[in-house]
Amino acid sequence: MIRIAICDDEKQAVDQHERIVKDCLQTEGIGYEITTYTQSRNLLYDITDDGIFYDLILLDIMMNGNDDGFEVVRRLRSLGNDIPIVILSGRTDDFDTLYGLDIGADDYITKPFNPVVLGAKIKALIRRNQKASYNAHNYITAGPFRYSNMTLEFFKNDQLVPLSSKENVMMKLFISNIGRVFTKEQLYELVWSNSVVDENAIMVYISHLRSKIEDNPKSPKYLKTVWGLGYKFT
């Protein structure tokens, strides 16, 4: 289900944008839900206070006394919210376009616009956002490293690093817990499912991992020993 917010203080404009979005998504056979706003403060409240999620926002920047569209973009981006935002505006100055893009809008379309062009941009942004969400869910990344939760493969600088089954379990544990110190007892219980610690086995596997992931295994940069405690991945 695709969720889209449309915000414009002119009801006629809201209805027009809603029809375009419906035609666009129905043609693609995509399930959707559209929420309309005539006040930008209500849109901001729903997202920042009520935690409502949208896949895309279509936003006017001239809101007749309310927070303008630029303020909505600035506020959301300052909070780290990366919802795709398309500004739809009757203001055609290059400054407005450049400013809108500079503060974080994904696109700026001037009115009147071609509905076909807007529909194409909507579909492209939704696909891009879904792909980003998919990648974020299926990969764990840290520095030059990437671990695939789907294929259980581990990469350094996009190059596959072959790992044994125990090395794989240990590596996923470390990359999922950046900076956390694991004692030898914890590692043996989590990786070997055994509370009896074989310190030699742990040291051997740590050495093997370092030989595969470190530029200089004798001076590890990533898989570090915390003397007297255990190991951590940084």
Side-chain angles (χ1 to χ4, degrees):
M1 175 71 71
I2 300 299
R3 302 193 66 192
I4 294 178
I6 300 172
C7 186
D8 194 308
D9 62 351
E10 294 184 5
K11 184 64 167 60
Q12 183 178 355
V14 169
D15 293 342
Q16 178 195 21
H17 303 340
E18 187 173 9
R19 285 194 301 271
I20 293 172
V21 172
K22 286 181 177 180
D23 290 343
C24 167
L25 299 181
Q26 284 175 345
T27 301
E28 295 293 308
I30 300 173
Y32 63 88
E33 178 181 306
I34 299 173
T35 303
T36 61
Y37 298 87
T38 55
Q39 294 190 2
S40 57
R41 64 170 65 97
N42 293 338
L43 169 63
L44 275 174
Y45 181 86
D46 281 356
I47 295 173
T48 59
D49 289 52
D50 283 355
I52 294 176
F53 172 81
Y54 292 110
D55 294 281
L56 179 72
I57 297 173
L58 299 181
L59 178 67
D60 188 25
I61 59 171
M62 300 175 66
M63 302 295 290
N64 287 341
N66 297 310
D67 291 334
D68 66 15
F70 288 145
E71 179 60 28
V72 173
V73 179
R74 284 193 297 266
R75 179 80 181 279
L76 291 177
R77 296 307 186 237
S78 71
L79 296 172
N81 192 309
D82 58 358
I83 296 173
I85 300 174
V86 177
I87 292 176
L88 304 175
S89 175
R91 291 161 60 170
T92 60
D93 290 346
D94 289 342
F95 172 80
D96 288 325
T97 303
L98 293 173
Y99 181 69
L101 296 174
D102 186 58
I103 62 175
D106 294 271
D107 211 332
Y108 189 110
I109 302 176
T110 57
K111 303 176 184 179
F113 51 80
N114 186 328
V116 175
V117 172
L118 177 60
K121 289 179 179 291
I122 289 172
K123 287 185 286 188
L125 282 171
I126 289 174
R127 283 196 302 267
R128 189 191 74 184
N129 195 46
Q130 288 180 325
K131 182 177 180 181
S133 298
Y134 174 86
N135 288 338
H137 178 73
N138 288 288
Y139 289 98
I140 305 170
T141 59
F145 303 105
R146 176 166 53 93
Y147 185 92
S148 170
N149 286 318
M150 294 186 66
T151 64
L152 306 183
E153 293 176 316
F154 181 70
F155 302 84
K156 179 180 179 181
N157 294 322
D158 291 325
Q159 298 295 314
L160 179 64
V161 179
L163 299 176
S164 69
S165 58
K166 286 291 190 290
E167 290 170 352
N168 193 302
V169 173
M170 188 178 287
M171 197 65 251
K172 182 178 182 182
L173 182 66
F174 278 124
I175 200 172
S176 300
N177 296 275
I178 303 297
R180 174 180 170 182
V181 177
F182 287 95
T183 65
K184 294 175 181 178
E185 290 81 1
Q186 288 173 325
L187 287 175
Y188 210 67
E189 182 174 353
L190 292 169
V191 178
W192 279 267
S193 300
N194 195 324
S195 59
V196 180
V197 179
D198 184 339
E199 293 191 10
N200 186 60
I202 293 173
M203 292 173 63
V204 168
Y205 275 91
I206 291 291
S207 178
H208 286 172
L209 278 178
R210 284 173 172 163
S211 69
K212 294 181 177 183
I213 71 172
E214 299 284 358
D215 298 324
N216 181 1
K218 293 183 179 180
S219 180
K221 177 181 177 182
Y222 304 108
L223 187 47
K224 295 184 176 182
T225 299
V226 181
W227 298 108
L229 293 176
Y231 302 94
K232 69 177 180 178
F233 189 68
T234 62

